[in-house]
């Protein structure tokens, strides 16, 4: 074996050794993350009145899986111009339009589709409210769904007596997920008459 051949094998071995040493790998072992993400705070605060639109910041306890955001965050009642949603690690920004209805309570709904970067989902849905008027609506409707799979509850505010039987022909005004135990709670509702339907989560919005 010539000197050149020996040098060739030596440098090839050295190159492969350096590459293997430089590989970044997650450390083995350690407990699996099973802690659901939590909403820690909002800016402005949940319950803010005289809200004129603009940006709302949602701060979570850990980094959020970006692919779950689009289907997990909505604003109710529905807006003509959908708010822009921006992802920044453990923060989510919701940009409201300036053309909001006067004396209206708007709710940011965060459903249980939202998960952290370890695929752990939100333990239960979250609702935060902001009002363009002087006060937050305080009406609520709660109950329990008996279903062996994940379910969501759709709520309509009735417009008039004719809406009693035709409400389901339009999109629901509010939609929230039930917990694993089937419990649901609509909050920040204005006074009025409502009807609701519980459906399997796979049928939500259909």
């Amino acid at each position: 074996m010539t000197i050149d051949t020996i040098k060739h094998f030596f440098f090839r071995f050295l190159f492969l050794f350096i590459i293997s040493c430089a590989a970044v790998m997650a450390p083995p072992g350690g407990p699996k993350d099973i802690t659901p993400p939590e909403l820690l705070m909002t800016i402005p605060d949940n319950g803010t009145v005289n809200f004129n639109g603009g940006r709302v910041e949602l701060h979570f306890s850990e980094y959020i899986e970006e692919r779950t955001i689009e289907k997990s965050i909505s604003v109710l009642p529905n807006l003509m111009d959908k708010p822009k949603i921006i992802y920044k690690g453990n923060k989510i920004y919701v940009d409201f339009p300036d053309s909001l209805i006067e004396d209206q309570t708007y709710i940011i709904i965060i459903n249980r589709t939202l998960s952290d970067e370890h695929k752990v989902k939100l333990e239960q849905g979250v609702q935060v409210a902001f009002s363009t008027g002087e006060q937050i609506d305080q009406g609520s409707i709660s109950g329990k769904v008996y279903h062996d799979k994940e379910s969501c509850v759709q709520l309509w505010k009735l417009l008039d007596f004719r809406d009693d039987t035709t409400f389901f022909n339009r999109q629901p005004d509010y939609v929230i997920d039930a917990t694993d135990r089937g419990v649901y709670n609509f909050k920040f509702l204005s006074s009025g008459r409502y009807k609701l339907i519980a459906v399997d989560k796979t049928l939500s919005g259909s």
Side-chain angles (χ1 to χ4, degrees):
M1 184 177 291
T2 66
I3 296 298
D4 289 337
T5 303
I6 294 173
K7 287 182 178 179
H8 171 75
F9 280 108
F10 174 78
F11 284 113
R12 185 175 181 182
F13 172 79
L14 182 62
F15 175 77
L16 293 174
F17 177 77
I18 292 172
I19 291 297
S20 65
C21 289
V24 178
M25 301 181 66
K32 182 180 178 182
D33 178 18
I34 58 173
T35 304
E38 294 182 30
L39 179 65
L40 300 179
M41 62 179 293
T42 68
I43 301 175
D45 292 336
N46 181 21
T48 292
V49 297
N50 297 315
F51 177 66
N52 295 318
R55 173 162 292 183
V56 173
E57 298 182 16
L58 308 174
H59 293 231
F60 290 88
S61 57
E62 50 190 314
Y63 277 40
I64 299 299
E65 173 60 48
E66 185 175 5
R67 290 176 295 180
T68 66
I69 293 173
E70 182 179 356
K71 293 184 178 180
S72 62
I73 296 181
S74 57
V75 174
L76 300 174
N78 292 316
L79 296 167
M80 292 288 291
D81 299 318
K82 289 188 177 182
K84 185 177 181 181
I85 298 176
I86 302 169
Y87 165 74
K88 292 287 184 181
N90 67 331
K91 300 182 182 68
I92 297 175
Y93 303 135
V94 182
D95 288 345
F96 280 77
D98 296 330
S99 55
L100 299 178
I101 300 173
E102 294 182 3
D103 296 322
Q104 173 68 54
T105 296
Y106 288 96
I107 309 168
I108 297 178
I109 303 288
I110 309 169
N111 68 41
R112 299 179 66 205
T113 301
L114 192 76
S115 65
D116 64 22
E117 59 183 351
H118 301 290
K119 315 299 182 186
V120 182
K121 292 186 177 181
L122 208 66
E123 186 172 14
Q124 64 181 23
V126 177
Q127 302 172 53
V128 294
F130 307 90
S131 176
T132 57
E134 297 288 339
Q135 61 184 11
I136 299 286
D137 292 324
Q138 295 298 325
S140 65
I141 297 175
S142 60
K144 187 171 185 179
V145 179
Y146 294 90
H147 185 47
D148 58 0
K149 297 180 181 179
E150 289 188 344
S151 59
C152 71
V153 184
Q154 303 181 150
L155 183 71
W156 288 260
K157 184 175 183 179
L158 299 182
L159 304 176
D160 52 40
F161 71 93
R162 290 169 296 183
D163 206 27
D164 281 348
T165 55
T166 61
F167 66 92
F168 55 82
N169 289 321
R170 55 186 172 85
Q171 290 292 315
D173 299 304
Y174 304 88
V175 179
I176 61 171
D177 289 342
T179 68
D180 288 338
R181 300 186 305 277
V183 176
Y184 66 88
N185 184 17
F186 290 96
K187 298 186 291 185
F188 313 118
L189 300 176
S190 59
S191 60
R193 297 171 58 240
Y194 292 84
K195 287 202 174 185
L196 58 81
I197 293 176
V199 299
D200 191 280
K201 189 171 179 179
T202 59
L203 300 176
S204 177
S206 63

